[in-house]
């Protein structure tokens, strides 16, 4: 970006009452933190004399953005002329970009809520298997999703529990005598 473009980007951000994102202060474009945790990016446009402005959801919502085919999703980027005043560009951002960004944030939050609820149900199901055997459920640090449970009691049994959306898959390896007793228990259900 040219010094003039950077100055214009900073003036637009001031009109929008947003601050630079400190994590990206040395970036080649201008990146600002939005109040919802997302980011607003301002960079040189593909066409000479234009700025490209785009918005992204917060990092914790990124993987929960809804899947869409081309043209179906919210338009989260616009191009504006550098010849406009900062106040007018900010008005364009408020009118053309931010409502679409807000729509994407709302849909992503709803998806994340459903994902978290499903994870909670799968963790509960695994815990019902793990707790009586003195084991704990482990979850992925990044996604929070429960990992399959593996229990090996040498000589007695080996059990693997895998959580799915509405069910729990159990794989049990036991001696033939114990298998008969398990089959009797299952038949009594």
């Amino acid at each position: 970006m040219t010094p003039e473009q950077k100055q214009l980007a900073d003036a637009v951000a001031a009109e929008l009452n947003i601050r630079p994102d400190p994590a990206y202060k040395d970036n080649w474009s201008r990146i600002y933190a939005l109040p919802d945790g997302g980011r607003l990016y301002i960079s040189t446009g593909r066409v000479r004399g234009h700025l490209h402005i785009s918005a992204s959801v917060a990092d914790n919502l990124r993987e929960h953005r809804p899947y869409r085919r081309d043209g179906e999703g919210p338009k989260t980027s616009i191009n504006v002329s550098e010849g406009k005043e900062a106040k007018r560009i900010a008005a364009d951002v408020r009118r053309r970009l931010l409502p679409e960004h807000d729509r994407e944030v709302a849909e992503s939050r709803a998806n994340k809520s459903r994902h978290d609820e499903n994870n909670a149900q799968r963790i509960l199901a695994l815990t019902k298997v793990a707790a009586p055997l003195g084991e704990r459920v482990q979850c992925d640090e990044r996604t929070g999703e429960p990992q399959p449970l593996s229990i090996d009691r040498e000589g007695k049994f080996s059990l693997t529990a895998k959580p799915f959306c509405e069910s729990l898959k159990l794989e049990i390896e036991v001696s033939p005598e114990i298998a008969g007793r398990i089959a009797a228990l299952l038949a009594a259900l």
Side-chain angles (χ1 to χ4, degrees):
M1 290 181 75
T2 65
E4 293 81 15
Q5 289 172 327
K6 290 179 181 179
Q7 188 176 17
L8 180 58
D10 289 340
V12 170
E15 288 289 331
L16 294 170
N17 200 25
I18 56 176
R19 307 257 181 263
D21 190 325
Y24 297 94
K25 65 180 178 181
D26 295 328
N27 197 286
W28 59 273
S29 64
R30 290 296 208 222
I31 302 175
Y32 304 94
L34 292 171
D36 63 15
R39 293 186 192 89
L40 184 78
Y41 301 84
I42 302 178
S43 60
T44 303
R46 290 184 182 158
V47 177
R48 186 179 177 97
H50 282 79
L51 291 176
H52 180 74
I53 304 173
S54 62
S56 70
V57 298
D59 290 342
N60 68 333
L61 296 177
R62 198 163 287 211
E63 67 185 39
H64 301 287
R65 291 171 45 206
Y67 170 78
R68 297 194 174 85
R69 292 188 169 97
D70 287 340
E72 291 180 352
K75 187 164 173 51
T76 57
S77 68
I78 61 173
N79 293 304
V80 294
S81 171
E82 292 176 15
K84 291 182 178 180
E85 296 177 6
K87 187 177 262 188
R88 191 156 168 222
I89 293 173
D92 281 348
V93 169
R94 281 189 196 101
R95 180 176 54 84
R96 294 170 48 201
L97 182 67
L98 292 181
E100 294 294 309
H101 169 72
D102 292 343
R103 181 176 132 206
E104 185 173 47
V105 167
E107 291 172 359
S108 298
R109 283 184 177 151
N111 286 348
K112 183 178 184 332
S113 178
R114 278 191 299 277
H115 177 266
D116 291 347
E117 177 61 30
N118 287 339
N119 273 352
Q121 289 175 357
R122 292 185 301 189
I123 290 169
L124 179 62
L126 278 177
T127 301
K128 288 179 180 179
V129 172
L133 300 170
E135 299 288 333
R136 295 191 59 192
V137 175
Q138 302 293 320
C139 295
D140 184 273
E141 290 179 16
R142 187 178 63 80
T143 64
E145 293 186 14
Q147 297 174 345
L149 180 66
S150 292
I151 302 169
D152 188 7
R153 299 287 193 263
E154 293 185 26
K156 293 185 178 181
F157 67 90
S158 175
L159 178 128
T160 302
K162 296 177 185 176
F164 293 97
C165 292
E166 306 252 340
S167 64
L168 188 67
K169 180 178 180 180
L170 292 177
E171 295 175 0
I172 305 171
E173 186 178 327
V174 294
S175 68
E177 304 86 46
I178 295 175
R181 290 194 288 191
I182 292 173
L185 285 172
L186 292 174
L189 292 178

